[in-house]
Amino acid sequence: MRRSKWKKISIAAVVLILLALACFQFGNVLSLASPVSADEARKLVQEKYNGNIVNVIQRDNKYEITLELDTGTYVLEVNRTTGGIENLTRTSQNHLPNSNEETGAPNKDQILTKEDAARIALQKVNGTVDDIDLEQSDGLTYFLVEVEREHTKDAIVQINAISGEVMSITWED
């Protein structure tokens, strides 16, 4: 009788171990998602930014997508594994209506308000503005607008304080 009891306990333990291993393996299979395709990355960028996608280049574990907007040309980096946009950098700027028509230079006396910067940032990134700082570097005045997003990465939007152009968007954890 005693031997029968230990035999049942041993069999139950082996079955539990096998079930645990099976669940672990099944979890690994589910987590091996296929990388984001170039078409999926293109669609993701098109949904977030209403512009003309000029080029998509695959580099290592990311796509570099060149995007033309009314404000200029941008290069976005899309992570192939997660599909997240990791960086957005402006590579060229279009002529802006907020500039001196004769020289093309921005009007120095027209600095945006923090409210303007928040509005511009929220046009590019959905979320809630957490903080706005006015910064200067190498003679350039710009806002850093921190945008909190639910369930996704937060963003810092860099906005030229005179022209209102989005200079970059950096995604954070």
Side-chain angles (χ1 to χ4, degrees):
M1 174 106 172
R2 201 169 200 25
R3 191 174 246 195
S4 163
K5 184 177 178 182
W6 281 109
K7 192 175 188 180
K8 288 179 184 178
I9 292 174
S10 297
I11 290 173
V14 169
V15 168
L16 285 175
I17 290 172
L18 289 175
L19 279 173
L21 285 173
C23 289
F24 178 74
Q25 288 298 331
F26 184 69
N28 283 342
V29 168
L30 290 179
S31 68
L32 294 176
S34 61
V36 174
S37 71
D39 287 336
E40 290 170 327
R42 176 185 292 267
K43 183 179 177 185
L44 182 131
V45 168
Q46 192 66 49
E47 287 174 356
K48 281 196 173 203
Y49 306 98
N50 190 17
N52 180 31
I53 295 177
V54 177
N55 197 10
V56 178
I57 300 172
Q58 180 180 336
R59 298 196 191 279
D60 298 325
N61 194 30
K62 65 183 173 186
Y63 291 108
E64 288 184 3
I65 299 178
T66 305
L67 177 69
E68 286 183 350
L69 298 172
D70 293 337
T71 56
T73 303
Y74 299 82
V75 174
L76 294 93
E77 293 179 3
V78 178
N79 185 305
R80 287 187 63 222
T81 304
T82 64
I85 297 173
E86 295 182 341
N87 195 13
L88 179 140
T89 305
R90 184 175 61 199
T91 57
S92 69
Q93 179 177 349
N94 292 342
H95 178 72
L96 304 170
N98 184 358
S99 63
N100 182 324
E101 293 300 324
E102 294 173 7
T103 65
N107 296 325
K108 298 293 184 197
D109 58 348
Q110 295 180 351
I111 293 180
L112 297 175
T113 65
K114 286 187 175 186
E115 292 77 17
D116 291 333
R119 181 182 44 77
I120 292 167
L122 292 175
Q123 287 175 349
K124 298 295 180 187
V125 178
N126 291 328
T128 305
V129 173
D130 182 46
D131 189 29
I132 303 174
D133 294 318
L134 183 63
E135 304 280 333
Q136 284 190 333
S137 177
D138 297 326
L140 180 65
T141 304
Y142 56 90
F143 287 101
L144 292 178
V145 182
E146 295 179 27
V147 179
E148 287 187 354
R149 301 174 50 158
E150 285 190 35
H151 310 296
T152 59
K153 294 181 178 182
D154 293 343
I156 297 178
V157 183
Q158 183 179 8
I159 301 170
N160 184 304
I162 296 169
S163 68
E165 293 305 308
V166 174
M167 299 164 59
S168 68
I169 299 176
T170 305
W171 303 95
E172 298 184 329
D173 290 329

